């Protein structure tokens, strides 16, 4: 056809003498062929005018769009480039298809026959790859592109890896002979020795190119193809300029098409076989027709004189006419057959659609933890197994339902075994939400609101059963159309709403009034507003109702089943948790199957420095002899893991069928620093085996470290048994307390069963060596050295000390000691008797068993639900909710947010002007200056970064990684990291954080009017509250001429609020803005008392702070209460305030009572 175009374009209108044979030529064609050829000529006449514009657009498509997703490619071409070309009056063909400009159906059909997926994205990639001038670099995490390349070039393709032995020689040979060479599995950096090759820096008129220190001959037929398995690589700009990046990442639509072919080939092999035959037949027809046309046009273009005298040409024309007629008949017949087949195939599309959706759900789990990596190859195996295991039924529709359910449940089980317990509900929720969105059973806007739940303003609650935080959430919900009037109904029918809100399980109760008619997702929204602590239970109920009970049942790890699914090429990967020994379970399985260390068929290598060679030899021996190898703690040899990956690949082929590899590793310290290579994780069956949670399980597990012989080994039998049981309870407390977050321990510590067993040995030695029990020595050794060796925070060390003082004292052996409310230390017994005592006497699980208030459980559940929703929000596919459904795109939303912030952002403080207001440089004034200066730095950063982002959104500035991160944070209602680094610690979302910032600015503005100390100082509003508290001490030290190093701060909690004070005290300062967690302050008695249930923090009255000499401070009946900036505690420590208490001080220490500047 291109020859015809050239013929028509270059020669112009044919001379009159040629018309007779053209007419004769056309009269020789069949009627349908006349029409087709005539239409082609008209089309080419039009293309003459638009050719330049079409070629320009196509060249731009090949050059720039390869790295983008299908959506962005379409947006670039349709919304950016075409309007621009029209604007500058460059004509382009209407409805131009850039793929049709570069290739044809016959070529695409050939590619599909070679294994290229048939979706549009893959076709575009193949077209760009075959036409780009720069070397193509394929981003191909699912290996579909590289599979096609290997089929396309076959044995002529040379394959190598960077760093592989002799890889430079392979490149030099390919350069000389003009071969196609594929460099597989690139990382983010490329060997500099290839710089000249990538940049095509040839010498001697393009005949030679330098590789390292050698000058190699450069054959013009040489072609280099680069490939990476990394899903989101970050390449340097120069590499991106030297190559054409191609995004071969599988798309949901593309995968759906592939899986549809798979399921039909299994369910209806006759149909799929016929479909393949027809497709190949159609492709062959297209190729044959193309060849006929090309041959005919070539003969016509070279014909001399009257072509009617050319007998061979006339005969060829007749043959072409007959063949074309026959092909046309066969094509018509094939199309009809194909239509019938497609109708039948479409019945199975819901199965493929569900499977495709589930693959992308489990692929996104890596956003939670980098060890959650799943390959398409493994998913395909799972897909086939699920189809085989589905219930066999005759009815097609019932069979389809059975297939969908089987695939969904199989995927759930497969992914769940690889997830930590805390992430399983996140995965389940994401799976349920995506399935329901696809079924249109939930509204995207409502799901988006549930996940974001942005509460901008704080309101005082008019009802006593809702906190200000919950009421503010109700007001935010009431702004949505579906929830109009919710706030009025809650206030107007307070009695009914109180009953629902305060019920033990509100998620199981019906909503009051007309709200009971709301959908399940709408009920979740209301529940999140008023009882966020019940959301995790409500989500389980939601999943059970929508997907089925089997999805919320606890699944037990079956190592035997995981072993059956493994193979020499598929290792089993244990993701380690503290307190779990993967080797123990594996040894039990090995013993059952005849693979033991004693028999020489089980090799255990604990990796560390210098063990790599031992591991390599073990792998080689096992592959030959059909043994098992476990490589423990592979995360400790991060640099060797690339070698391990290659060894596993090497030994997976041709090895003994009984050969198996087991790996174990801890998870990465952070999301940004994954240690385990992606390929190693993807090709493994991942298993997490966590220790059980809860006091009952932890106490049994602690006791399981010993046996009857241990209990009988000490001569002081009764003392040893009593202290050992108390030590087990102490271990269960310190380990179980970790789950309560900062209120449990300020920082996270890796307590393990090793600490307990070593303490038991110390106990035995000290009891044997001393006539009496050395209580103080034991407490010191356990609390300061063994367990205390892990502890880095002073307040956590104090907590550990108090636990031991409570659990280990003479009352343990002389009297009845209560380890927890309702649980006394057991009487003298044997090993099984202690286990039975735990079963019979331990109260139900509650924070009280750890010394915490019941509110700690509510706080834990609230934090868990907030974290879960934040994770779910970040996991949502970018195209899950369309611009039309949300009303605006992400970019528009971010633009609105930044415009709003810039409009409300105050001007920076004029420090020169402020400093002139008061020549007095008292400690208070200096604190004010420091606060204003820090606020100026933060305001300046916010303004500049938002202006850069605004320019980036307009396309006037390149979006750097930092700016992209900032944009992502704004869209997810998070404070950008660049602001956080200059700001004060805060746990608020962006909207609440910015409102808080404005309040701080207003407070500083008021203070800077005359620089006199405010009547009541908002301590929470400082960047550095310690500086103000120190200023109180400095001021009083100067006034009274006291030495500063012998002074301390004392506080007196008043009975008044901020509004009751009109001026500051003569000495010291009035403080407000503090909140008490773990207890509350009783104004009447002026002492600490138990917190009210569900009141997680209580606001303190105004506190009067002043400085006194250390020797005058009141120590008796005072709890040393730490003051923290936020609930995160730990590094946000500010000061210690002594609060009066009528109860034992140990009660408040164990309850984790603290003052917070931000509730």
């Amino acid at each position: 056809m291109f020859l015809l175009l050239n013929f028509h374009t270059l020669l112009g209108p044919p001379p009159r003498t040629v018309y007779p044979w053209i007419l004769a030529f056309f009269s020789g064609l069949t009627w349908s062929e006349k029409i087709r050829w005539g239409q082609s000529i008209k089309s080419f006449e039009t293309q003459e005018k638009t050719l330049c514009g079409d070629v320009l657009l196509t060249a731009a498509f090949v050059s720039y769009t390869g790295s983008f997703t299908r959506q962005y490619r379409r947006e670039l071409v349709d919304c950016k480039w075409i309007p621009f070309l029209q604007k500058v009056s460059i004509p382009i063909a209407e409805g131009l298809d850039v793929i049709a400009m570069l290739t044809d159906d016959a070529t695409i059909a050939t590619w599909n026959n070679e294994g290229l997926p048939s979706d549009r994205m893959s076709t575009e990639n193949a077209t760009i790859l075959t036409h780009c001038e720069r070397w193509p670099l394929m981003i191909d995490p699912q290996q579909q592109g590289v599979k096609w390349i290997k089929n396309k070039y076959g044995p002529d393709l040379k394959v190598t890896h960077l760093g592989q032995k002799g890889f430079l020689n392979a490149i030099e040979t390919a350069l000389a002979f003009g071969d196609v060479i594929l460099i597989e599995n690139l990382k983010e950096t490329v060997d500099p020795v290839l710089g000249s090759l990538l940049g095509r820096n040839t010498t001697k008129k393009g005949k030679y190119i330098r590789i390292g220190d050698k000058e190699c001959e450069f054959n013009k037929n040489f072609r280099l193809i680069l490939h990476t398995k990394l899903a989101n690589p970050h390449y340097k700009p120069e590499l991106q300029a030297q190559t054409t990046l191609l995004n071969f990442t599988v798309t949901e639509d593309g995968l759906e098409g592939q899986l549809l072919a798979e399921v039909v080939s299994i369910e209806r092999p006759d149909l799929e076989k016929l479909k393949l035959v027809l497709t190949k037949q159609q492709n062959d027809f297209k190729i044959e027709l193309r060849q006929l046309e090309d041959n005919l046009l070539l003969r016509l273009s070279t014909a001399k004189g009257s072509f009617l005298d050319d007998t061979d040409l006339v005969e060829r024309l007749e043959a072409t006419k007959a063949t074309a007629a026959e092909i046309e008949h066969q094509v018509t017949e094939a199309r009809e057959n194909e239509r019938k087949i497609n109708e039948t195939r479409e019945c199975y599309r819901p199965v493929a659609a569900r499977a495709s959706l589930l693959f992308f759900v489990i692929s996104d789990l890596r956003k939670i933890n980098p060890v959650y990596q799943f390959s398409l190859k493994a998913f395909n195996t799972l897909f086939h197994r699920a189809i085989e295991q589905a219930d066999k039924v005759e009815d097609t529709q019932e069979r389809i339902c059975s297939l969908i359910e089987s695939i969904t449940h199989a995927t759930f089980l497969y992914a769940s075994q690889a997830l930590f317990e805390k992430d399983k509900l996140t995965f389940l929720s994401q799976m349920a939400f995506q399935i329901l969105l696809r079924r249109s059973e939930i509204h995207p806007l409502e799901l988006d609101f549930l996940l974001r739940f942005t509460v901008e303003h704080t309101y005082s609650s008019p009802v006593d059963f809702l906190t200000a935080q919950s009421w503010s959430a109700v007001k935010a919900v009431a702004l949505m159309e579906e929830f109009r009037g919710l706030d009025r109904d809650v206030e107007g029918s307070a009695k009914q709403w109180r009953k629902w809100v305060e019920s033990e399980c509100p998620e199981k109760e019906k909503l009051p009034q007309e709200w009971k008619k709301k959908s399940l997702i709408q009920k979740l929204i209301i529940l999140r507003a008023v009882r966020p602590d019940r959301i995790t239970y409500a989500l389980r109920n939601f999943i059970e109702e929508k997907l089925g009970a089997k999805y919320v049942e606890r699944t037990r790890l079956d190592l035997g089943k995981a072993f059956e699914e493994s193979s020499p090429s598929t290792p089993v990967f244990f993701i380690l948790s503290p307190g779990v020994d993967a080797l123990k379970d594996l040894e039990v399985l090995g013993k059952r199957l005849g693979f033991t260390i004693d028999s020489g068929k089980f090799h255990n290598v604990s990796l560390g420095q210098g063990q790599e060679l031992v591991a390599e030899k073990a792998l080689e021996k096992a592959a030959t002899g059909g043994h098992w190898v476990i490589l423990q703690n592979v995360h400790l040899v991060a640099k060797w893991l690339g070698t391990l990956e290659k060894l596993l690949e090497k030994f997976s082929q041709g090895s003994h069928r009984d050969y198996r590899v087991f790996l174990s590793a801890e998870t990465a310290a952070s999301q940004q620093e994954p240690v385990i290579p992606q390929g190693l994780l993807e090709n493994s069956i991942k298993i997490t085996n966590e220790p059980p949670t809860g006091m009952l399980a932890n106490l049994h597990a602690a006791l399981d470290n010993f046996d009857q012989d241990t209990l009988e080994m000490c001569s002081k039998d009764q003392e040893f048994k009593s202290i050992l049981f108390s030590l087990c309870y102490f271990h269960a407390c310190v380990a179980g307390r970790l789950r309560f977050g900062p209120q449990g321990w300020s920082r996270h510590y890796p307590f393990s069963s090793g600490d307990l067993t070593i303490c038991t040995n110390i106990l035995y030695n000290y009891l044997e060596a001393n006539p009496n029990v050395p209580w103080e020595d034991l407490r010191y050794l356990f609390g300061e050295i063994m367990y205390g060796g892990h502890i880095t925070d002073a307040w956590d060390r104090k907590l550990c000390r108090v636990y031991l003082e409570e659990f280990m004292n003479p009352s343990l052996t002389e009297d009845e000691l209560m380890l927890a409310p309702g649980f006394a230390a057991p009487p003298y017994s044997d090993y099984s008797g202690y286990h039975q005592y735990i079963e019979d006497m331990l109260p139900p699980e509650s924070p009280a068993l750890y010394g915490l208030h019941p509110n700690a459980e509510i706080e834990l559940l609230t934090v868990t639900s907030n974290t879960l929703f934040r994770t779910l929000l970040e996991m949502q596919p970018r195209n899950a909710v369309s611009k039309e459904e949300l009303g605006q795109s992400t970019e528009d939303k971010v633009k609105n947010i930044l415009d709003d912030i810039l409009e409300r952002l105050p001007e920076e403080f004029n420090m020169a002007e402020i400093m002139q207001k008061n020549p007095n440089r008292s400690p208070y004034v200096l604190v004010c200056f420091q606060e204003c200066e820090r606020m100026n730095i933060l305001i300046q950063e916010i303004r500049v970064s938002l202006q850069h982002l605004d320019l980036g959104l307009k396309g006037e500035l390149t979006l750097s990684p930092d700016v992209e991160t900032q944009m992502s944070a704004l869209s997810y209602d998070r404070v950008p990291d660049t602001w956080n680094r200059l700001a004060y610690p805060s746990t608020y979302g962006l909207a609440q954080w910015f409102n808080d910032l404005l309040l701080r600015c207003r407070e500083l503005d008021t203070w800077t009017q005359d620089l006199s100390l405010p009547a009541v100082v908002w301590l929470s509003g400082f960047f550095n509250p310690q500086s103000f508290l120190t200023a109180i001490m400095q001021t009083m030290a100067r006034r009274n001429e006291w030495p500063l190093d012998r002074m301390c701060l004392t506080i007196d909690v008043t009975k008044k609020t901020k509004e009751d004070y009109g001026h500051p005290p003569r000495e010291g300062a009035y403080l407000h803005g503090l909140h008490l967690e773990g207890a509350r302050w009783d104004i009447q008695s002026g002492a600490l008392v138990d917190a009210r249930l569900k009141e997680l923090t209580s606001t303190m009255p105004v506190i009067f702070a002043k400085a006194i000499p250390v020797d005058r401070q009141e120590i008796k009946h005072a709890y040393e209460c730490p003051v923290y900036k936020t609930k995160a505690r730990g590094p946000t420590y500010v000061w210690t305030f002594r609060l009066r208490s009528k109860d034992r001080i140990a009660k408040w220490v164990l309850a984790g009572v603290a003052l917070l500047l931000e509730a």
Side-chain angles (χ1 to χ4, degrees), residues 108-375:
I108 294 169
T110 307
W111 293 340
N112 293 340
N113 290 343
E114 290 163 349
L116 181 77
S118 56
D119 59 292
R120 170 76 183 193
M121 178 88 172
S122 299
T123 305
E124 287 178 1
N125 286 336
T127 307
I128 295 171
L129 186 141
T130 51
H131 288 83
C132 60
E133 282 295 312
R134 293 171 293 172
W135 307 129
L137 197 170
M138 301 160 62
I139 300 165
D140 186 26
Q142 286 85 24
Q143 309 275 349
Q144 293 194 321
V146 79
K147 180 183 170 187
W148 166 65
I149 287 291
K150 287 177 178 178
N151 288 338
K152 176 177 171 59
Y153 291 102
D156 297 333
L157 180 71
K158 305 293 181 279
V159 182
T160 187
H161 302 256
L162 278 189
Q164 183 179 316
K165 192 177 178 182
F167 92 98
L168 279 179
N169 291 337
I171 292 172
E172 288 166 16
T173 306
L175 272 167
F177 290 99
D179 293 331
V180 180
I181 189 164
L182 169 69
I183 301 180
E184 276 191 302
N185 305 338
L186 283 181
K187 302 302 177 192
E188 291 191 339
T189 53
V190 177
D191 195 326
V193 78
L194 297 178
S196 297
L197 179 61
L198 292 173
R200 299 184 191 238
N201 302 328
T202 55
T203 57
K204 299 180 183 177
K205 297 182 180 178
K207 291 183 179 178
Y208 289 88
I209 198 163
R210 185 170 287 280
I211 303 290
D213 57 353
K214 287 177 72 177
E215 209 167 54
C216 306
E217 189 180 342
F218 183 68
N219 189 310
K220 289 188 178 178
N221 293 325
F222 169 78
R223 186 155 174 75
L224 173 67
I225 301 172
L226 304 166
H227 164 266
T228 180
K229 286 197 290 188
L230 301 177
N232 189 22
H234 292 272
Y235 289 116
K236 290 181 179 178
E238 53 266 32
L239 182 63
Q240 294 184 44
Q242 291 167 337
T243 60
T244 299
L245 291 178
L246 284 172
N247 187 357
F248 267 91
T249 307
V250 70
T251 61
E252 200 168 323
D253 290 342
L255 182 59
E256 186 180 311
Q258 294 169 44
L259 295 176
L260 178 61
E262 297 276 342
V263 70
V264 174
S265 68
I266 297 168
E267 293 295 299
R268 292 290 303 274
D270 56 323
L271 275 185
E272 197 57 24
K273 191 175 179 183
L274 187 57
K275 165 82 175 170
L276 289 171
V277 169
L278 283 174
T279 304
K280 191 171 186 312
Q281 200 178 42
Q282 292 272 51
N283 296 340
D284 291 343
F285 288 161
K286 289 172 185 174
I287 294 164
E288 190 179 351
L289 204 56
R290 169 71 182 268
Q291 288 171 347
L292 287 170
E293 288 174 357
D294 287 350
N295 287 336
L296 192 58
L297 287 169
L298 182 65
R299 296 298 296 268
L300 282 169
S301 61
T302 55
K304 293 178 181 176
S306 173
F307 85 97
L308 296 173
D309 298 334
D310 190 338
T311 313
D312 186 38
L313 180 57
V314 173
E315 285 175 359
R316 192 176 289 271
L317 177 60
E318 285 299 319
T320 301
K321 185 170 72 173
T323 308
E326 186 185 341
I327 286 175
E328 187 189 0
H329 175 69
Q330 289 177 338
V331 164
T332 307
E333 196 176 295
R335 277 180 186 157
E336 182 59 27
N337 288 335
E338 189 177 20
R339 186 185 62 78
K340 290 175 184 175
I341 291 168
N342 284 340
E343 280 178 11
T344 312
R345 285 177 92 248
E346 282 303 306
C347 295
Y348 292 93
R349 187 167 290 278
V351 179
R354 173 64 62 86
S356 178
L357 180 144
L358 291 172
F359 173 73
F360 282 92
V361 168
I362 64 172
S363 291
D364 282 342
L365 291 173
R366 65 176 180 270
K367 295 176 184 176
I368 303 176
N369 193 317
V371 298
Y372 300 157
Q373 302 276 354
F374 300 92
S375 70

Side-chain angles (χ1 to χ4, degrees), residues 888 890-906 942-943 945-951 953-954 966 970 979 990 994:
Q888 55 181 355
T890 304
E891 288 78 7
D892 293 339
K893 186 175 181 200
V894 170
K895 174 73 172 135
N896 291 342
I897 292 169
L898 75 85
D899 285 345
D900 178 57
I901 293 175
L902 285 173
E903 187 182 332
R904 295 163 61 200
L905 192 67
I942 292 171
R943 182 171 280 113
S945 62
L946 287 179
Q947 286 169 348
H948 284 173
L949 176 56
D950 193 26
L951 291 172
L953 290 173
K954 290 175 182 173
Q966 182 187 9
L970 294 182
W979 302 1
L990 177 62
F994 186 65

Side-chain angles (χ1 to χ4, degrees), residues 14 40 59 85 146 151 275 400 436 544 698 720 748 806 1008 1032 1036 1077:
S40 295
L85 291 173
V146 79
N151 288 338
K275 165 82 175 170
I400 288 166
L436 295 173
E544 184 176 351
N698 278 328
F720 181 77
H748 201 276
E806 292 292 299
T1008 55
I1032 294 175
M1036 292 193 69
E1077 185 178 41

Side-chain angles (χ1 to χ4, degrees), residues 531-543:
R531 286 293 301 274
D533 58 299
R534 301 302 301 176
I535 275 289
T536 50
Y537 300 100
L539 273 174
R540 287 186 185 280
N541 294 345
F542 176 82
I543 292 159

Side-chain angles (χ1 to χ4, degrees), residues 644-662:
L644 173 61
E645 193 176 357
K646 287 172 188 171
L647 284 172
L648 291 176
E649 193 177 329
K650 175 185 170 185
F651 293 135
S652 68
Q653 295 164 358
S655 57
H656 195 287
R657 62 190 179 89
D658 290 337
Y659 161 65
R660 292 291 185 279
V661 178
F662 302 87

Side-chain angles (χ1 to χ4, degrees), residues 514-570:
E514 291 299 306
W515 298 95
K516 64 170 75 76
K517 296 176 183 174
K518 291 294 176 186
S519 67
L520 286 176
I521 190 107
Q522 290 166 347
K523 186 176 178 180
L524 282 175
I525 290 171
I526 295 173
L527 190 70
R528 187 175 181 193
V530 296
R531 286 293 301 274
D533 58 299
R534 301 302 301 176
I535 275 289
T536 50
Y537 300 100
L539 273 174
R540 287 186 185 280
N541 294 345
F542 176 82
I543 292 159
E544 184 176 351
E545 183 156 335
K546 293 293 185 181
L547 298 184
K550 60 185 176 183
Y551 290 93
V552 292
E553 291 167 359
R554 286 193 174 273
T555 52
R556 284 186 59 80
L557 170 69
D558 187 349
L559 189 55
K561 191 177 177 187
F563 171 74
E564 286 170 16
E565 293 170 6
S566 68
S567 68
S569 60
T570 310

